[in-house]
C-alpha cells in the first residue's frame, strides 16, 4: 500500500488528502506491521515534531478505518489498535499472555479457508460474512522456553 493509492482513493471518495491524513497513514507505513493505538500514533507524530492535535489524530484514524485503509483490532478490553489493511497478506494474531507481544500468524491457511464450512453455515442462516478475524491467546514460544528453563 502506498500513499499514492490513498490519495487516489480519497479523491474518488471525494475526500481531500489533507496533510494530517497523509501523516497518520505514513506512521503506519514507517512502523510497518506494528499494531498501534491512537495514542501511540499521536506520540509518534509528536516525537517527529508534527503539529497535530490529539483529536485530529483520533478523527483521522476513524476515517481511515471507514475508508478501508486501516483495520481496527481489539486485543484488550477498551483498547483499540490499528494496522494497515493489506489484502495480500491476511493474517491472524496471537497474543502472548506472558510478555504481551502480538504475533502475526501468516499462513497459506487463511481463516476463511479453515472455517469455510462454518462460514457457509452462517451464510445459510442469513449472516453476510465480510471478514474473519481470528485471535489466539496463550504463551508464545519464547516465553514457553523461558518457563521450561526455570523449571528444569
Ligand atoms: Zn511471550
Ligand atoms: Zn496484524
Amino acid at each position: 500500500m502506498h500513499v499514492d493509492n490513498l490519495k487516489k482513493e480519497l479523491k474518488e471518495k471525494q475526500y481531500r488528502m489533507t496533510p494530517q491524513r497523509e501523516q497518520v497513514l505514513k506512521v503506519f507505513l514507517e512502523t510497518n506491521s506494528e499494531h498501534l493505538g491512537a495514542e501511540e500514533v499521536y506520540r509518534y507524530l509528536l516525537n517527529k515534531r508534527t503539529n497535530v492535535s490529539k483529536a485530529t489524530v483520533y478523527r483521522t484514524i476513524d476515517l481511515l478505518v471507514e475508508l478501508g485503509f486501516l483495520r481496527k483490532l481489539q486485543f484488550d478490553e477498551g483498547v483499540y489498535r490499528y494496522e494497515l489493511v493489506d489484502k495480500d497478506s491476511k493474517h491472524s494474531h496471537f497474543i502472548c499472555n506472558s510478555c504481551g507481544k502480538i504475533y502475526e500468524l501468516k499462513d497459506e491457511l487463511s481463516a476463511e479457508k479453515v472455517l469455510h464450512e462454518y462460514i457457509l453455515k452462517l451464510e445459510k442462516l442469513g449472516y453476510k460474512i465480510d471478514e474473519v478475524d481470528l485471535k489466539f491467546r496463550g504463551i508464545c514460544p519464547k516465553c514457553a522456553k523461558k518457563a521450561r528453563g526455570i523449571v528444569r
Side-chain angles (χ1 to χ4, degrees), residues 10 15 18 20-21 24 38-39 41-42 52-67 70 82:
L10 284 172
Y15 283 96
T18 63
Q20 287 92 342
R21 284 168 199 164
V24 168
E39 187 69 34
V41 174
Y42 174 62
V52 65
S53 78
K54 196 185 270 195
T56 303
V57 170
Y58 277 70
R59 250 200 333 266
T60 305
I61 288 176
D62 278 343
L63 177 74
L64 291 170
V65 170
E66 224 174 274
L67 291 173
L70 293 179
Y82 304 85

Side-chain angles (χ1 to χ4, degrees), residues 20-66:
Q20 287 92 342
R21 284 168 199 164
E22 189 160 350
Q23 277 155 5
V24 168
L25 198 80
K26 267 194 182 148
V27 174
F28 285 93
L29 290 168
E30 281 167 16
T31 55
N32 210 16
S33 88
E34 284 288 338
H35 304 87
L36 301 171
E39 187 69 34
E40 285 168 296
V41 174
Y42 174 62
R43 262 185 277 134
Y44 187 93
L45 287 170
L46 276 192
N47 280 339
K48 294 185 78 185
R49 301 179 188 284
T50 309
N51 189 19
V52 65
S53 78
K54 196 185 270 195
T56 303
V57 170
Y58 277 70
R59 250 200 333 266
T60 305
I61 288 176
D62 278 343
L63 177 74
L64 291 170
V65 170
E66 224 174 274

Side-chain angles (χ1 to χ4, degrees), residues 84-99:
L84 284 175
V85 171
D86 187 346
K87 301 238 159 65
D88 298 331
S89 77
K90 295 207 68 179
H91 59 269
S92 302
H93 293 103
F94 180 95
I95 305 107
C96 180
N97 286 332
S98 178
C99 65

